[in-house]
């Protein structure tokens, strides 16, 4: 057969497949719409209906309608998909919907499993649980706040999530009172409790914890800072000069690269996350930027971010942006640090207003919109 004919046939079959796909989709949608109109329908009683609903759900996965249908038909066996959506949905609404349904289907065990299986996503999942709220969430997350085997990122996200609930705030306050709160959670818990709507909680936490000071004055909680507007031009200057940020971060080619390039940080992090990154850098150490201490056989001690690590040698970059390579045989110890290389007290020499200006600037560092060609000189 002539090549073009085979081609034409293939195109025709593909087109037919597409048509039949579209027909099937329309049929499935009709079945779903009809089922929705019937009351007390048991989907399990009819495999054909169930198959139609399933196919329909796959086509609309993650949309508001998807969650509505899963809830309406009580489709507990959608839980694996819900868990995936909870970890990687496109919008915060979808994430919270996924989490809410997982809780409704009593999938706590699966959620706990996901924390272990996908540790990098765990803090995000935990924040969504906080937004979904409720007593079950407290049950699930309170133990994580005090579980020393969990990373700071997980414990800190759990404390924030628990602190969205007034009972959860009492739980945190009790840890503070009993002096059972780990030192590395002081910022998170102070930030949560100083923002409590309950004056009694605010007054009591003030007896034990302080928010970090900027130019000697305690800062307001992050939830307050995010409401303020700043001057992005002043913020850019602070980034370069007094803030010392450019010593460790590149923005559009300028600055040193010890920490992550921040050219698009405004697309990656919310204003709240930007403040937390500056005031409590160790709470959410970004992937690949864990810091290490190297001790050489001669007793030299160096701290830095790992640049590369092979069978025979290891390269780190210090806070001064100096790269050093060592043969593994010359090293006595390589210790991963729980703390960030980014200093904890950068706000010390800045005022609250400086900090607000700085974040205003960081918010403007966004990805170029797709499809818009960059301006020509
Ligand atoms: C001594 C080096 C150093 C200095 C100075 C420093 N940073 Fe960092 N920064 C880092 C490192 C390393 C990381 C990655 C580890 C982490 O997330 O804590 C980081 C992470 C961050 C992040 C999170 C990035 C991400 O992709 O999640 C932000 C935002 C940030 N820094 C902003 C700042 C700002 C603003 C300043 C100035 C006030 C500053 N940094 C000063 C080293 C530094």
């Amino acid at each position: 057969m002539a090549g073009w004919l085979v081609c034409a046939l293939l195109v025709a079959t593909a087109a037919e497949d597409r048509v039949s796909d579209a027909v099937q989709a329309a049929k499935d949608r009709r079945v779903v719409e009809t089922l929705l109109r019937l009351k007390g329908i048991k989907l399990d009683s009819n495999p054909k209906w169930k198959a139609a609903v399933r196919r329909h759900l796959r086509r609309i996965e993650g949309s508001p309608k998807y969650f509505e249908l899963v809830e309406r038909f009580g489709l507990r066996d959608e839980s694996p998909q819900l868990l995936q959506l909870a970890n990687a949905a496109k919008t915060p609404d979808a994430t919270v919907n996924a989490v809410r349904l997982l809780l409704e289907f009593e999938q706590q065990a699966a959620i706990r499993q996901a924390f272990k299986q996908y540790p990098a996503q765990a803090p995000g999942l935990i924040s969504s649980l906080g937004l979904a709220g409720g007593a079950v969430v407290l049950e699930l997350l309170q133990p994580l706040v005090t579980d020393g085997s969990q990373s700071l990122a997980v414990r800190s996200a759990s404390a924030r999530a628990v602190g969205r609930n007034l009972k959860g705030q009492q739980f945190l306050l009790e840890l503070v009172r009993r002096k059972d709160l780990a030192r590395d959670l002081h910022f998170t818990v102070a930030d949560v409790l100083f923002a409590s709507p309950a004056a009694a909680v605010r007054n009591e936490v003030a007896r034990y914890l302080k928010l970090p000071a900027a130019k000697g004055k305690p800062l307001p909680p992050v939830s307050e800072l995010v409401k303020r507007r700043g001057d992005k031009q002043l913020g850019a200057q602070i980034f370069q000069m007094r803030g010392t940020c450019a010593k460790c971060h590149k923005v559009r080619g300028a600055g040193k690269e010890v920490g992550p390039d921040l050219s698009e940080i405004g697309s990656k992090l919310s204003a709240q996350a930007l403040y937390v990154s500056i005031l409590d850098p160790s709470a959410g150490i970004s992937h690949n930027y864990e810091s290490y201490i190297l001790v050489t056989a001669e007793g030299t001690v160096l701290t830095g971010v790992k640049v590369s690590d092979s069978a025979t040698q290891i390269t780190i970059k210090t806070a001064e942006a100096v790269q050093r390579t060592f043969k593994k045989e010359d090293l006595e110890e390589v210790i991963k640090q729980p703390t960030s290389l980014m200093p904890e007290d950068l706000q010390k020499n800045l005022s609250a207003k400086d900090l607000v200006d700085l974040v205003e600037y960081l918010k403007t560092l966004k990805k170029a919109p797709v499809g818009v060609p960059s301006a020509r000189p």
Side-chain angles (χ1 to χ4, degrees), residues 53 63 81 99 129 150 154 158 160 196 214 229-230 239 251 286 305 310 346 352:
V53 172
S63 66
Q81 281 81 0
V99 167
L129 281 161
Q150 301 290 340
V154 161
S158 299
R160 271 195 196 277
S196 171
R229 290 286 80 85
F239 187 90
V251 171
S286 43
V305 174
S310 75
L346 283 168

Side-chain angles (χ1 to χ4, degrees), residues 238-240 242-249 257-262 265 268-269 273-278 280-291 304-305 317-321 339-343 346-347 350 355 358-359 361-362:
I238 291 164
F239 187 90
Q240 298 300 332
R242 271 188 300 137
T244 68
C245 318
K247 275 194 186 165
C248 289
H249 292 286
E257 201 163 10
V258 178
D261 188 311
L262 298 183
I265 197 67
K268 181 185 166 192
L269 298 182
L274 286 169
Y275 279 111
V276 173
S277 300
I278 299 168
D280 194 21
S282 299
I285 298 184
S286 43
H287 192 56
N288 284 338
Y289 288 93
E290 287 97 357
S291 63
V305 174
K317 200 187 263 181
T318 69
E320 296 78 34
T339 43
S340 172
L341 194 63
M342 178 160 155
L346 283 168
Q347 82 294 330
L350 305 175
L355 194 61
L358 182 57
V359 168
Y361 164 65
L362 295 173

